[in-house]
Amino acid sequence: MRYAFALTLAVLVGCGTTTSEEYKRDAMPEIGNYPPKPSPWTKVRVACNKFMDKTNNRASHSRPVGEQAGEQFETLIVRSDRFNVIERLQLENILKEQGLEGVVDPAELSKPGKIRGVDYMFLGAITNFRIKINKTSSGGGIFDRVIKPIAPLDIDTKKTTIETQVGVDIKLVNTTTGELVAKDFGEVSRIDTASAWGVRVLGIGGSANNELKIDEDAQGKILRWALDESFKKMLGPIDGKFSKAQPSYCPNCKVEMPSGESFCTKCGKSALKPKCVKEGCGTELEVGAKFCGKCGTKVEQK
């Protein structure tokens, strides 16, 4: 009995003086991989604004989660290769560049008027961003019952579980008519666990201690996961919309016009884009343009 006790004591003291931790993390799914767009396809101009933060637990995320989500989602729609994406998230920086004349080569300046409007806008909201932390502690269970009769020891086990929940809602809106092309949500939940055990023999040894945090980088990955899930749900109606010929809209009253009609049946205005009147030019102009972008001829306002 004394020999068994001494052997047990030696083994447990050696093991019990350290704390071991085992981390288990769920593998992230493939994000940003989308099927090819259908053919034919109309590639319209879109932009993405920063997302609204509608969560009631802003302490869970120290970074401005709306701006973070906007940047991440813009990356996803670029990767989908379905749109001409126009910068809106950092528009202030582009406008500042326009004031750098004399500092940089004028040929490299972003020219006023070149920051074009968009046909459609992605709008989104963070509806849930919650982190739940649960710590549990227990004794050695069967080890206590088997070993305690021959060795005066205590076994302490602890486990930490962190559940991160993220929810987003995203919609694609026609900026001319307000038409809602697609809207869907993404809800994801990820659980990270850490477990540790410690053994104390005759008051000597180490107790279980485990610490587990979801850092900001990990939070960003979970947010991107939710955004990706929502966008994948939207691809069905998006592909159905832009794989067909797009209608034209009256530039005056914004009413949708049937294919082939050149004048609005409501206000009588022409839906055709004006052309430069200079002989030999005839360049198609944007609606509301004051000068021809090719030859500089002034557009006569009617």
Side-chain angles (χ1 to χ4, degrees):
M1 178 67 69
R2 290 182 179 178
Y3 176 75
F5 172 75
L7 179 61
T8 303
L9 180 64
V11 172
L12 292 177
V13 167
C15 296
T17 54
T18 61
T19 299
S20 64
E21 297 187 2
E22 178 184 356
Y23 291 89
K24 180 181 178 182
R25 298 185 182 276
D26 294 334
M28 297 294 286
E30 287 193 5
I31 294 175
N33 295 325
Y34 307 110
K37 58 182 178 292
S39 181
W41 183 263
T42 302
K43 207 167 189 180
V44 297
R45 299 189 302 267
V46 303
C48 176
N49 273 351
K50 69 178 182 179
F51 282 39
M52 291 186 291
D53 184 357
K54 293 188 174 182
T55 65
N56 295 320
N57 189 19
R58 289 178 173 81
S60 296
H61 40 79
S62 57
R63 275 194 247 173
V65 70
E67 295 179 12
Q68 186 180 5
E71 290 288 352
Q72 291 184 348
F73 191 70
E74 186 179 66
T75 301
L76 296 178
I77 60 178
V78 169
R79 287 178 62 89
S80 76
D81 191 32
R82 281 166 165 77
F83 308 100
N84 290 322
V85 183
I86 309 300
E87 178 59 58
R88 284 293 181 273
L89 293 168
Q90 299 192 32
L91 186 58
E92 291 182 3
N93 292 333
I94 298 177
L95 295 176
K96 286 178 182 178
E97 185 188 75
Q98 295 181 358
L100 295 178
E101 189 170 0
V103 179
V104 298
D105 186 339
E108 297 178 357
L109 287 172
S110 178
K111 301 297 183 182
K114 293 296 184 181
I115 304 174
R116 306 180 66 186
V118 296
D119 306 307
Y120 294 85
M121 181 76 74
F122 280 102
L123 303 173
I126 310 298
T127 55
N128 182 25
F129 205 123
R130 184 175 302 172
I131 296 178
K132 297 180 180 179
I133 301 177
N134 183 40
K135 289 191 174 186
T136 58
S137 178
S138 63
I142 189 172
F143 294 101
D144 283 343
R145 295 194 297 271
V146 173
I147 300 178
K148 235 175 182 181
I150 62 173
L153 58 84
D154 293 312
I155 297 179
D156 178 28
T157 61
K158 290 184 179 180
K159 181 178 180 181
T160 301
T161 301
I162 297 183
E163 181 180 5
T164 307
Q165 300 174 347
V166 177
V168 300
D169 282 77
I170 307 173
K171 56 189 173 183
L172 179 61
V173 181
N174 185 315
T175 58
T176 301
T177 65
E179 171 199 7
L180 195 63
V181 176
K183 182 176 181 180
D184 224 310
F185 67 92
E187 291 279 354
V188 299
S189 176
R190 171 170 161 168
I191 296 178
D192 297 87
T193 63
S195 59
W197 63 270
V199 180
R200 295 178 61 84
V201 181
L202 299 177
I204 303 172
S207 61
N209 181 26
N210 56 354
E211 295 293 333
L212 179 62
K213 287 185 185 179
I214 302 296
D215 59 22
E216 288 188 346
D217 289 340
Q219 291 181 34
K221 291 179 181 178
I222 300 171
L223 176 58
R224 195 187 301 270
W225 183 6
L227 296 169
D228 178 77
E229 182 179 279
S230 179
F231 186 45
K232 283 176 177 173
K233 290 180 180 179
M234 297 171 66
L235 284 182
I238 287 175
D239 288 353
K241 171 75 174 178
F242 298 113
S243 60
K244 302 174 183 176
Q246 298 302 295
S248 59
Y249 300 93
C250 174
N252 182 53
C253 64
K254 312 304 182 186
V255 169
E256 182 176 320
M257 299 178 60
S259 179
E261 293 193 1
S262 302
F263 291 87
C264 179
T265 56
K266 182 178 180 181
C267 68
K269 296 286 186 179
S270 173
L272 299 176
K273 288 187 177 181
K275 293 185 178 181
C276 178
V277 297
K278 184 177 179 180
E279 186 177 353
C281 183
T283 300
E284 190 176 80
L285 307 174
E286 291 290 332
V287 175
K290 297 180 179 180
F291 296 89
C292 174
K294 184 177 181 180
C295 68
T297 299
K298 185 175 182 179
V299 177
E300 295 182 5
Q301 302 297 324
K302 297 182 181 180

